[in-house]
Amino acid sequence: MNFIEELKWRGMLAQMMPGTEELLAKEMVTAYLGTDPTADSLHIGHLCGIMMLRHFQRCGHKPIILVGGATGMIGDPSGKSQERNLLNAETLYHNQECIKAQVARFLDFDPNLPNAAEMVNNYDWMKDFTFLDFAREVGKHITVNYMMAKDSVQKRLNGEARDGLSFTEFTYQLLQGYDFLHLYRTKNCKLQLGGNDQWGNITTGTELIRRTLGADCEAFALTCPLITKADGKKFGKTESGNIWLDPKRTSPYQFYQFWLNVSDDDAEKYIKIFTNITQDECTQLVAEHSQAPHLRLLQRRLAQDVTILVHGEANYQAAVEASNILFGNATADTLHKIDETTLLQVFEGVPQFEISRTELEAGIRPLDLLAEKTQIFASKGEARKMMQANGFSMNKEKLTDTETPITASALLNGKYLLFQKGKKNYYLVVAK
Protein backbone atom coordinates (compact mmCIF):
# COMPACT_ATOMS: atom_id res chain seq x y z
CA MET A 1 0.00 0.00 0.00
CA ASN A 2 1.12 3.55 -0.80
CA PHE A 3 0.43 5.83 2.15
CA ILE A 4 -0.01 9.04 0.14
CA GLU A 5 -2.33 7.39 -2.38
CA GLU A 6 -4.28 5.86 0.48
CA LEU A 7 -4.77 9.27 2.10
CA LYS A 8 -5.70 10.94 -1.19
CA TRP A 9 -8.59 8.64 -2.10
CA ARG A 10 -9.84 8.76 1.48
CA GLY A 11 -9.87 12.59 1.47
CA MET A 12 -7.37 12.64 4.34
CA LEU A 13 -4.56 14.71 2.83
CA ALA A 14 -4.48 18.48 3.32
CA GLN A 15 -0.82 19.55 2.99
CA MET A 16 2.61 17.96 2.83
CA MET A 17 6.11 19.33 2.48
CA PRO A 18 7.94 18.73 -0.82
CA GLY A 19 9.92 15.49 -0.71
CA THR A 20 7.56 13.68 1.68
CA GLU A 21 6.24 11.25 -0.92
CA GLU A 22 9.75 10.48 -2.17
CA LEU A 23 10.93 9.74 1.39
CA LEU A 24 8.04 7.33 2.00
CA ALA A 25 8.79 5.52 -1.27
CA LYS A 26 12.44 4.81 -0.49
CA GLU A 27 12.44 3.59 3.15
CA MET A 28 10.44 2.55 6.20
CA VAL A 29 9.72 5.92 7.78
CA THR A 30 9.07 6.71 11.43
CA ALA A 31 6.40 9.37 11.96
CA TYR A 32 4.75 10.80 15.04
CA LEU A 33 1.46 12.42 15.85
CA GLY A 34 0.80 14.35 19.05
CA THR A 35 -2.36 14.09 21.07
CA ASP A 36 -3.66 16.28 23.84
CA PRO A 37 -3.92 14.60 27.26
CA THR A 38 -6.27 17.16 28.84
CA ALA A 39 -9.03 14.50 29.20
CA ASP A 40 -8.89 10.83 30.16
CA SER A 41 -10.47 9.82 26.87
CA LEU A 42 -10.09 10.61 23.21
CA HIS A 43 -13.21 11.73 21.35
CA ILE A 44 -14.11 11.23 17.71
CA GLY A 45 -12.47 14.55 16.83
CA HIS A 46 -9.15 12.75 17.45
CA LEU A 47 -10.05 9.79 15.25
CA CYS A 48 -8.85 11.20 11.93
CA GLY A 49 -5.30 11.56 13.27
CA ILE A 50 -5.39 8.12 14.89
CA MET A 51 -6.65 6.59 11.64
CA MET A 52 -3.81 8.33 9.79
CA LEU A 53 -1.37 6.51 12.08
CA ARG A 54 -3.28 3.25 11.53
CA HIS A 55 -3.03 3.56 7.73
CA PHE A 56 0.62 4.60 8.10
CA GLN A 57 1.43 1.37 9.96
CA ARG A 58 -0.61 -0.74 7.53
CA CYS A 59 1.51 0.73 4.74
CA GLY A 60 4.64 -0.65 6.43
CA HIS A 61 5.85 2.43 8.28
CA LYS A 62 6.43 2.96 12.02
CA PRO A 63 3.96 5.14 13.97
CA ILE A 64 4.67 6.95 17.22
CA ILE A 65 1.90 8.56 19.21
CA LEU A 66 3.12 11.32 21.46
CA VAL A 67 1.10 12.17 24.53
CA GLY A 68 1.78 15.80 25.34
CA GLY A 69 2.33 15.53 29.08
CA ALA A 70 4.58 18.61 29.06
CA THR A 71 2.83 20.63 26.37
CA GLY A 72 -0.52 19.67 27.93
CA MET A 73 0.55 21.68 30.96
CA ILE A 74 0.75 24.78 28.76
CA GLY A 75 -1.91 24.65 26.04
CA ASP A 76 -1.76 25.14 22.30
CA PRO A 77 -3.16 28.44 20.94
CA SER A 78 -3.97 26.90 17.52
CA GLY A 79 -7.68 27.28 16.84
CA LYS A 80 -8.38 28.45 20.39
CA SER A 81 -9.73 31.79 21.52
CA GLN A 82 -8.83 31.29 25.19
CA GLU A 83 -5.94 29.88 27.16
CA ARG A 84 -6.80 26.46 28.52
CA ASN A 85 -6.62 25.33 32.14
CA LEU A 86 -3.28 23.88 33.21
CA LEU A 87 -3.25 20.31 34.56
CA ASN A 88 -1.08 18.74 37.24
CA ALA A 89 1.29 15.81 36.63
CA GLU A 90 -0.91 13.22 38.40
CA THR A 91 -3.93 14.06 36.25
CA LEU A 92 -1.86 14.04 33.07
CA TYR A 93 -0.37 10.62 33.88
CA HIS A 94 -3.83 9.17 34.53
CA ASN A 95 -5.07 10.61 31.24
CA GLN A 96 -2.08 9.18 29.39
CA GLU A 97 -2.74 5.64 30.61
CA CYS A 98 -6.39 5.86 29.58
CA ILE A 99 -5.48 7.17 26.13
CA LYS A 100 -2.89 4.43 25.64
CA ALA A 101 -5.51 1.74 26.24
CA GLN A 102 -7.78 3.33 23.61
CA VAL A 103 -5.05 3.76 20.99
CA ALA A 104 -4.04 0.10 21.39
CA ARG A 105 -7.27 -0.81 19.56
CA PHE A 106 -6.01 1.00 16.45
CA LEU A 107 -2.25 0.37 16.40
CA ASP A 108 -0.12 -2.75 16.83
CA PHE A 109 2.37 -2.29 19.67
CA ASP A 110 3.89 -5.80 19.36
CA PRO A 111 7.63 -5.20 19.99
CA ASN A 112 8.55 -8.06 17.63
CA LEU A 113 7.29 -6.07 14.64
CA PRO A 114 9.89 -4.01 12.76
CA ASN A 115 7.34 -1.20 12.55
CA ALA A 116 5.80 -1.66 16.00
CA ALA A 117 3.85 1.35 17.25
CA GLU A 118 5.25 3.25 20.22
CA MET A 119 3.77 5.69 22.69
CA VAL A 120 5.96 8.41 24.18
CA ASN A 121 5.31 11.28 26.58
CA ASN A 122 7.18 14.54 26.09
CA TYR A 123 7.12 15.12 29.84
CA ASP A 124 9.84 12.45 30.07
CA TRP A 125 12.38 14.60 28.24
CA MET A 126 11.06 18.02 29.24
CA LYS A 127 10.74 17.60 33.03
CA ASP A 128 14.48 18.09 33.70
CA PHE A 129 15.05 20.64 30.93
CA THR A 130 15.80 23.96 32.68
CA PHE A 131 14.60 27.25 31.30
CA LEU A 132 18.20 28.39 30.75
CA ASP A 133 19.03 25.20 28.83
CA PHE A 134 15.90 25.60 26.74
CA ALA A 135 16.67 29.24 25.95
CA ARG A 136 20.23 28.38 24.94
CA GLU A 137 19.62 25.12 23.03
CA VAL A 138 16.26 25.83 21.41
CA GLY A 139 15.31 29.49 21.66
CA LYS A 140 18.39 30.80 19.90
CA HIS A 141 17.62 28.87 16.70
CA ILE A 142 14.15 30.33 16.01
CA THR A 143 13.58 34.09 15.72
CA VAL A 144 10.65 35.93 17.23
CA ASN A 145 9.87 37.23 13.72
CA TYR A 146 9.46 33.63 12.52
CA MET A 147 7.20 32.75 15.45
CA MET A 148 5.08 35.91 15.11
CA ALA A 149 4.32 35.12 11.48
CA LYS A 150 2.39 31.95 12.36
CA ASP A 151 -1.36 32.14 11.76
CA SER A 152 -2.20 30.72 15.18
CA VAL A 153 -0.28 33.55 16.85
CA GLN A 154 -1.59 36.28 14.55
CA LYS A 155 -5.21 35.32 15.12
CA ARG A 156 -4.83 35.50 18.88
CA LEU A 157 -3.02 38.84 18.69
CA ASN A 158 -5.45 40.44 16.25
CA GLY A 159 -8.45 40.52 18.51
CA GLU A 160 -9.83 36.97 18.28
CA ALA A 161 -8.90 36.29 21.90
CA ARG A 162 -10.42 37.95 24.93
CA ASP A 163 -7.21 37.88 26.93
CA GLY A 164 -4.52 38.06 24.27
CA LEU A 165 -1.73 35.49 24.09
CA SER A 166 0.37 34.61 27.11
CA PHE A 167 4.12 34.06 26.87
CA THR A 168 3.47 30.47 28.01
CA GLU A 169 1.32 29.79 24.97
CA PHE A 170 3.63 31.75 22.68
CA THR A 171 6.40 29.26 23.49
CA TYR A 172 4.19 26.29 22.58
CA GLN A 173 5.47 26.05 19.02
CA LEU A 174 9.05 25.90 20.29
CA LEU A 175 8.17 23.09 22.69
CA GLN A 176 6.39 21.15 19.95
CA GLY A 177 9.32 21.86 17.65
CA TYR A 178 11.69 20.46 20.26
CA ASP A 179 9.60 17.27 20.45
CA PHE A 180 10.24 16.74 16.74
CA LEU A 181 13.96 17.46 17.20
CA HIS A 182 14.18 15.03 20.14
CA LEU A 183 12.39 12.24 18.25
CA TYR A 184 14.51 12.91 15.17
CA ARG A 185 17.64 12.44 17.26
CA THR A 186 16.50 9.48 19.37
CA LYS A 187 14.04 7.60 17.11
CA ASN A 188 15.17 8.68 13.61
CA CYS A 189 11.69 10.18 13.26
CA LYS A 190 11.61 12.19 10.03
CA LEU A 191 7.92 12.97 9.64
CA GLN A 192 5.30 14.64 11.80
CA LEU A 193 1.59 14.11 11.14
CA GLY A 194 -1.27 16.22 12.44
CA GLY A 195 -4.44 18.15 11.74
CA ASN A 196 -4.17 21.06 9.34
CA ASP A 197 -4.46 23.55 12.21
CA GLN A 198 -1.07 22.20 13.36
CA TRP A 199 0.78 23.08 10.14
CA GLY A 200 2.49 26.10 11.69
CA ASN A 201 3.68 24.19 14.76
CA ILE A 202 4.87 21.24 12.68
CA THR A 203 6.86 23.38 10.26
CA THR A 204 8.51 25.12 13.22
CA GLY A 205 9.80 21.65 14.15
CA THR A 206 11.19 20.98 10.67
CA GLU A 207 12.88 24.40 10.74
CA LEU A 208 14.36 23.76 14.20
CA ILE A 209 15.82 20.43 13.03
CA ARG A 210 17.36 22.08 9.98
CA ARG A 211 18.84 25.00 11.94
CA THR A 212 20.07 22.86 14.83
CA LEU A 213 21.48 19.84 13.02
CA GLY A 214 22.28 21.29 9.60
CA ALA A 215 20.59 21.67 6.24
CA ASP A 216 21.32 18.08 5.23
CA CYS A 217 19.09 16.80 8.08
CA GLU A 218 15.72 16.78 6.41
CA ALA A 219 12.42 16.52 8.24
CA PHE A 220 8.94 16.54 6.77
CA ALA A 221 5.35 17.49 7.57
CA LEU A 222 1.98 16.09 6.50
CA THR A 223 -1.48 17.14 7.66
CA CYS A 224 -5.04 15.92 7.31
CA PRO A 225 -7.97 18.32 6.82
CA LEU A 226 -10.12 19.34 9.77
CA ILE A 227 -13.27 17.24 9.53
CA THR A 228 -16.57 19.08 9.27
CA LYS A 229 -20.17 18.09 8.62
CA ALA A 230 -21.85 18.71 5.27
CA ASP A 231 -23.43 21.90 6.67
CA GLY A 232 -19.98 23.24 7.61
CA LYS A 233 -20.46 22.78 11.34
CA LYS A 234 -17.84 21.20 13.59
CA PHE A 235 -17.67 17.43 13.37
CA GLY A 236 -18.23 15.30 16.46
CA LYS A 237 -20.22 17.71 18.60
CA THR A 238 -23.80 17.01 19.63
CA GLU A 239 -26.20 18.87 21.87
CA SER A 240 -24.90 16.84 24.79
CA GLY A 241 -21.26 17.52 23.92
CA ASN A 242 -18.45 15.39 22.49
CA ILE A 243 -18.80 11.79 21.35
CA TRP A 244 -16.14 10.06 23.45
CA LEU A 245 -14.37 6.73 22.92
CA ASP A 246 -14.68 5.90 26.62
CA PRO A 247 -17.90 3.86 27.07
CA LYS A 248 -18.46 5.46 30.47
CA ARG A 249 -18.66 8.89 28.83
CA THR A 250 -20.50 7.85 25.65
CA SER A 251 -22.15 4.43 25.74
CA PRO A 252 -21.62 2.04 22.80
CA TYR A 253 -25.33 2.47 22.02
CA GLN A 254 -25.03 6.27 21.79
CA PHE A 255 -21.77 5.90 19.85
CA TYR A 256 -23.41 3.56 17.34
CA GLN A 257 -26.44 5.84 17.02
CA PHE A 258 -24.24 8.85 16.25
CA TRP A 259 -22.77 7.19 13.15
CA LEU A 260 -26.08 5.61 12.16
CA ASN A 261 -27.76 9.02 12.04
CA VAL A 262 -25.28 11.02 9.96
CA SER A 263 -26.45 12.42 6.61
CA ASP A 264 -25.85 10.61 3.31
CA ASP A 265 -23.17 13.11 2.29
CA ASP A 266 -21.38 12.81 5.61
CA ALA A 267 -21.63 9.00 5.59
CA GLU A 268 -19.93 8.86 2.18
CA LYS A 269 -17.11 11.07 3.49
CA TYR A 270 -16.74 9.51 6.93
CA ILE A 271 -16.67 5.89 5.79
CA LYS A 272 -13.44 6.63 3.92
CA ILE A 273 -11.84 8.40 6.88
CA PHE A 274 -12.91 6.33 9.86
CA THR A 275 -12.92 2.72 8.57
CA ASN A 276 -10.53 0.32 6.83
CA ILE A 277 -12.85 -0.14 3.84
CA THR A 278 -11.00 -0.62 0.54
CA GLN A 279 -11.46 1.77 -2.37
CA ASP A 280 -13.19 -0.83 -4.57
CA GLU A 281 -15.53 -1.88 -1.77
CA CYS A 282 -16.31 1.74 -0.98
CA THR A 283 -17.13 2.55 -4.62
CA GLN A 284 -19.48 -0.44 -4.79
CA LEU A 285 -21.17 0.43 -1.49
CA VAL A 286 -21.72 4.07 -2.53
CA ALA A 287 -23.32 2.87 -5.78
CA GLU A 288 -25.61 0.45 -3.91
CA HIS A 289 -26.57 3.14 -1.43
CA SER A 290 -27.49 5.59 -4.20
CA GLN A 291 -29.88 2.98 -5.66
CA ALA A 292 -31.74 2.57 -2.35
CA PRO A 293 -30.85 5.40 0.03
CA HIS A 294 -33.76 4.53 2.35
CA LEU A 295 -31.90 1.36 3.37
CA ARG A 296 -29.06 3.55 4.72
CA LEU A 297 -26.40 1.04 3.68
CA LEU A 298 -23.58 3.55 4.08
CA GLN A 299 -24.63 4.58 7.56
CA ARG A 300 -25.08 0.97 8.68
CA ARG A 301 -21.66 -0.09 7.46
CA LEU A 302 -20.04 3.05 8.89
CA ALA A 303 -21.69 2.55 12.29
CA GLN A 304 -20.77 -1.13 12.30
CA ASP A 305 -17.09 -0.71 11.40
CA VAL A 306 -16.36 2.23 13.70
CA THR A 307 -18.24 0.75 16.67
CA ILE A 308 -16.41 -2.58 16.34
CA LEU A 309 -13.08 -0.80 15.98
CA VAL A 310 -13.63 1.28 19.12
CA HIS A 311 -15.80 -0.97 21.32
CA GLY A 312 -15.49 -4.50 19.93
CA GLU A 313 -17.90 -6.96 18.32
CA ALA A 314 -19.90 -7.78 21.47
CA ASN A 315 -20.69 -4.13 22.24
CA TYR A 316 -21.60 -3.54 18.59
CA GLN A 317 -24.08 -6.44 18.67
CA ALA A 318 -25.55 -5.14 21.94
CA ALA A 319 -25.96 -1.67 20.39
CA VAL A 320 -27.75 -3.15 17.36
CA GLU A 321 -30.06 -5.18 19.60
CA ALA A 322 -30.83 -2.11 21.70
CA SER A 323 -31.60 -0.14 18.52
CA ASN A 324 -33.96 -2.87 17.34
CA ILE A 325 -36.09 -2.57 20.49
CA LEU A 326 -37.67 0.65 19.26
CA PHE A 327 -38.62 -0.84 15.91
CA GLY A 328 -40.42 -3.87 17.27
CA ASN A 329 -37.84 -6.43 16.17
CA ALA A 330 -36.47 -7.23 19.62
CA THR A 331 -37.60 -10.01 21.93
CA ALA A 332 -38.30 -9.89 25.66
CA ASP A 333 -34.99 -11.72 26.06
CA THR A 334 -33.13 -8.82 24.43
CA LEU A 335 -34.87 -6.30 26.65
CA HIS A 336 -33.87 -8.16 29.81
CA LYS A 337 -30.23 -8.25 28.72
CA ILE A 338 -29.62 -4.52 28.20
CA ASP A 339 -28.22 -2.46 31.05
CA GLU A 340 -30.05 0.38 32.78
CA THR A 341 -28.04 3.17 31.13
CA THR A 342 -28.76 1.85 27.62
CA LEU A 343 -32.43 1.21 28.47
CA LEU A 344 -32.87 4.85 29.53
CA GLN A 345 -30.99 6.08 26.43
CA VAL A 346 -33.14 3.98 24.07
CA PHE A 347 -36.32 5.29 25.64
CA GLU A 348 -35.19 8.86 26.26
CA GLY A 349 -38.15 11.18 25.81
CA VAL A 350 -40.94 8.58 26.13
CA PRO A 351 -43.63 9.29 28.75
CA GLN A 352 -42.62 8.11 32.23
CA PHE A 353 -44.71 7.33 35.29
CA GLU A 354 -43.73 6.47 38.86
CA ILE A 355 -45.36 3.84 41.04
CA SER A 356 -44.76 2.63 44.59
CA ARG A 357 -42.38 -0.33 44.81
CA THR A 358 -44.16 -1.47 47.98
CA GLU A 359 -47.51 -1.66 46.15
CA LEU A 360 -45.93 -3.46 43.22
CA GLU A 361 -44.35 -6.05 45.49
CA ALA A 362 -47.83 -6.81 46.82
CA GLY A 363 -49.15 -6.97 43.25
CA ILE A 364 -51.27 -4.50 41.22
CA ARG A 365 -54.05 -5.55 38.85
CA PRO A 366 -53.14 -4.52 35.26
CA LEU A 367 -56.19 -2.27 34.75
CA ASP A 368 -55.54 -0.45 38.03
CA LEU A 369 -51.89 0.07 37.08
CA LEU A 370 -52.61 1.28 33.54
CA ALA A 371 -55.56 3.60 34.19
CA GLU A 372 -55.28 4.67 37.86
CA LYS A 373 -51.70 4.38 39.09
CA THR A 374 -50.49 5.74 35.73
CA GLN A 375 -52.23 7.53 32.87
CA ILE A 376 -51.20 5.17 30.08
CA PHE A 377 -54.92 4.74 29.37
CA ALA A 378 -57.68 7.24 30.04
CA SER A 379 -59.96 4.54 31.43
CA LYS A 380 -60.02 0.90 32.44
CA GLY A 381 -62.50 0.23 29.62
CA GLU A 382 -60.05 1.56 27.01
CA ALA A 383 -57.22 -0.50 28.51
CA ARG A 384 -59.33 -3.70 28.59
CA LYS A 385 -60.41 -3.22 24.98
CA MET A 386 -56.83 -2.82 23.67
CA MET A 387 -55.51 -5.72 25.75
CA GLN A 388 -58.25 -8.04 24.52
CA ALA A 389 -57.51 -6.95 20.93
CA ASN A 390 -53.91 -8.11 21.42
CA GLY A 391 -52.58 -4.56 20.89
CA PHE A 392 -50.74 -4.07 24.17
CA SER A 393 -47.40 -5.36 25.47
CA MET A 394 -45.42 -5.35 28.70
CA ASN A 395 -41.66 -5.82 28.44
CA LYS A 396 -42.07 -6.87 24.78
CA GLU A 397 -44.55 -9.64 25.58
CA LYS A 398 -48.26 -9.41 24.77
CA LEU A 399 -50.38 -8.58 27.82
CA THR A 400 -53.94 -9.88 27.49
CA ASP A 401 -54.71 -11.04 31.04
CA THR A 402 -56.60 -8.23 32.77
CA GLU A 403 -56.85 -9.96 36.18
CA THR A 404 -53.48 -11.49 37.17
CA PRO A 405 -51.58 -8.90 39.25
CA ILE A 406 -48.33 -7.45 37.97
CA THR A 407 -45.58 -7.81 40.60
CA ALA A 408 -42.00 -6.61 41.18
CA SER A 409 -40.70 -9.83 39.59
CA ALA A 410 -41.55 -8.31 36.18
CA LEU A 411 -39.23 -5.30 36.67
CA LEU A 412 -36.38 -4.73 34.21
CA ASN A 413 -33.10 -4.02 36.02
CA GLY A 414 -35.12 -4.30 39.20
CA LYS A 415 -36.71 -0.92 38.53
CA TYR A 416 -38.60 -0.52 35.23
CA LEU A 417 -41.67 -1.75 33.37
CA LEU A 418 -41.88 -1.05 29.64
CA PHE A 419 -45.35 -0.83 28.11
CA GLN A 420 -46.12 -0.59 24.41
CA LYS A 421 -49.44 0.53 22.95
CA GLY A 422 -49.75 -0.38 19.27
CA LYS A 423 -46.52 -0.25 17.25
CA LYS A 424 -44.97 3.06 18.21
CA ASN A 425 -46.22 4.28 21.59
CA TYR A 426 -43.95 3.40 24.48
CA TYR A 427 -44.30 4.15 28.21
CA LEU A 428 -41.75 3.61 30.96
CA VAL A 429 -42.96 2.98 34.51
CA VAL A 430 -40.39 3.46 37.28
CA ALA A 431 -40.82 1.68 40.61
CA LYS A 432 -39.63 3.85 43.52
Side-chain angles (χ1 to χ4, degrees):
M1 288 169 60
N2 179 299
F3 180 59
I4 301 300
E5 291 305 315
E6 191 72 10
L7 292 189
K8 281 180 179 175
W9 85 258
R10 291 181 183 277
M12 295 174 72
L13 181 62
Q15 298 184 78
M16 64 177 170
M17 286 180 63
T20 304
E21 194 163 7
E22 291 77 6
L23 174 75
L24 291 164
K26 74 179 183 183
E27 61 184 78
M28 185 183 83
V29 176
T30 299
Y32 92 91
L33 178 137
T35 192
D36 178 6
T38 50
D40 62 1
S41 173
L42 301 175
H43 55 73
I44 59 175
H46 296 109
L47 269 187
C48 184
I50 301 300
M51 289 302 293
M52 266 211 305
L53 283 184
R54 183 176 173 85
H55 294 311
F56 189 71
Q57 187 174 39
R58 291 171 70 228
C59 290
H61 301 292
K62 181 179 176 66
I64 294 176
I65 181 154
L66 181 146
V67 175
T71 41
M73 291 180 170
I74 291 174
D76 175 12
S78 303
K80 313 289 191 307
S81 60
Q82 283 182 268
E83 185 163 352
R84 65 178 53 162
N85 294 328
L86 309 187
L87 301 178
N88 60 42
E90 184 182 353
T91 302
L92 285 165
Y93 178 76
H94 166 76
N95 293 354
Q96 173 195 328
E97 291 306 297
C98 294
I99 289 168
K100 185 175 183 178
Q102 291 177 343
V103 172
R105 299 193 65 90
F106 295 83
L107 304 177
D108 193 337
F109 287 86
D110 181 354
N112 297 314
L113 289 175
N115 65 331
E118 287 187 49
M119 176 174 272
V120 296
N121 187 335
N122 61 11
Y123 184 69
D124 293 338
W125 58 82
M126 292 303 301
K127 65 180 186 294
D128 298 321
F129 207 176
T130 69
F131 180 77
L132 290 177
D133 288 340
F134 187 79
R136 184 176 64 246
E137 294 181 27
V138 180
K140 72 176 184 180
H141 292 292
I142 302 292
T143 67
V144 170
N145 306 52
Y146 180 88
M147 295 170 70
M148 291 286 288
K150 298 293 183 180
D151 282 348
S152 59
V153 173
Q154 285 298 313
K155 286 178 180 176
R156 290 288 295 272
L157 291 176
N158 292 335
E160 290 191 18
R162 230 178 21 220
D163 304 318
L165 179 70
S166 71
F167 173 76
T168 305
E169 284 187 297
F170 182 58
T171 59
Y172 186 93
Q173 60 179 290
L174 288 183
L175 289 168
Q176 185 171 328
Y178 183 73
D179 288 342
F180 200 174
L181 173 61
H182 177 84
L183 293 174
Y184 188 96
R185 282 170 166 162
T186 60
K187 304 281 187 185
N188 194 31
C189 179
K190 297 180 180 178
L191 174 63
Q192 186 179 167
L193 309 174
N196 208 33
D197 60 336
Q198 290 293 310
W199 182 257
N201 290 337
I202 296 173
T203 52
T204 296
T206 63
E207 187 69 9
L208 181 62
I209 290 168
R210 188 183 68 78
R211 294 188 185 186
T212 304
L213 303 179
D216 57 331
C217 292
E218 291 187 299
F220 299 88
L222 185 152
T223 59
C224 62
L226 299 181
I227 311 302
T228 57
K229 295 190 284 190
D231 60 9
K233 292 180 180 174
K234 190 172 182 178
F235 163 74
K237 288 275 191 178
T238 66
E239 287 181 9
S240 56
N242 282 317
I243 303 296
W244 299 93
L245 305 197
D246 185 339
K248 294 190 293 292
R249 288 172 173 256
T250 300
S251 73
Y253 169 76
Q254 287 175 310
F255 189 85
Y256 173 76
Q257 286 292 321
F258 171 83
W259 300 102
L260 196 63
N261 290 309
V262 300
S263 70
D264 286 356
D265 288 343
D266 285 338
E268 186 174 340
K269 179 166 71 170
Y270 296 164
I271 201 165
K272 297 172 186 174
I273 296 170
F274 300 113
T275 78
N276 295 321
I277 195 169
T278 65
Q279 188 170 7
D280 289 344
E281 198 178 1
C282 185
T283 301
Q284 182 180 343
L285 186 61
V286 169
E288 289 174 3
H289 179 91
S290 65
Q291 294 298 313
H294 64 284
L295 297 178
R296 300 179 71 75
L297 297 176
L298 275 172
Q299 286 90 341
R300 290 179 185 280
R301 175 63 185 275
L302 171 66
Q304 173 182 327
D305 284 16
V306 185
T307 305
I308 289 174
L309 193 56
V310 173
H311 294 297
E313 179 76 35
N315 281 315
Y316 160 70
Q317 293 294 348
V320 172
E321 287 182 0
S323 299
N324 287 339
I325 290 170
L326 279 176
F327 303 104
N329 302 322
T331 62
D333 226 23
T334 305
L335 193 62
H336 280 277
K337 281 193 299 185
I338 69 171
D339 59 272
E340 180 180 9
T341 300
T342 305
L343 180 75
L344 293 176
Q345 288 167 352
V346 170
F347 294 102
E348 185 179 9
V350 307
Q352 288 192 19
F353 302 97
E354 290 183 9
I355 56 170
S356 162
R357 175 179 288 276
T358 306
E359 282 188 78
L360 192 62
E361 284 169 352
I364 306 175
R365 290 177 66 244
L367 297 181
D368 294 339
L369 176 62
L370 298 173
E372 290 182 355
K373 304 293 183 184
T374 69
Q375 288 75 54
I376 293 173
F377 288 96
S379 67
K380 290 182 180 181
E382 185 186 330
R384 181 183 286 106
K385 185 177 178 183
M386 180 162 270
M387 289 170 70
Q388 290 173 345
N390 217 29
F392 191 71
S393 299
M394 180 179 75
N395 297 343
K396 285 291 177 179
E397 292 183 308
K398 293 295 181 185
L399 184 62
T400 56
D401 184 346
T402 60
E403 296 302 322
T404 303
I406 296 170
T407 66
S409 63
L411 290 169
L412 302 168
N413 291 292
K415 192 175 180 180
Y416 305 98
L417 294 171
L418 178 70
F419 293 105
Q420 184 178 358
K421 192 194 293 185
K423 286 188 176 181
K424 295 183 179 178
N425 298 308
Y426 288 94
Y427 306 86
L428 202 58
V429 175
V430 186
K432 290 195 172 181

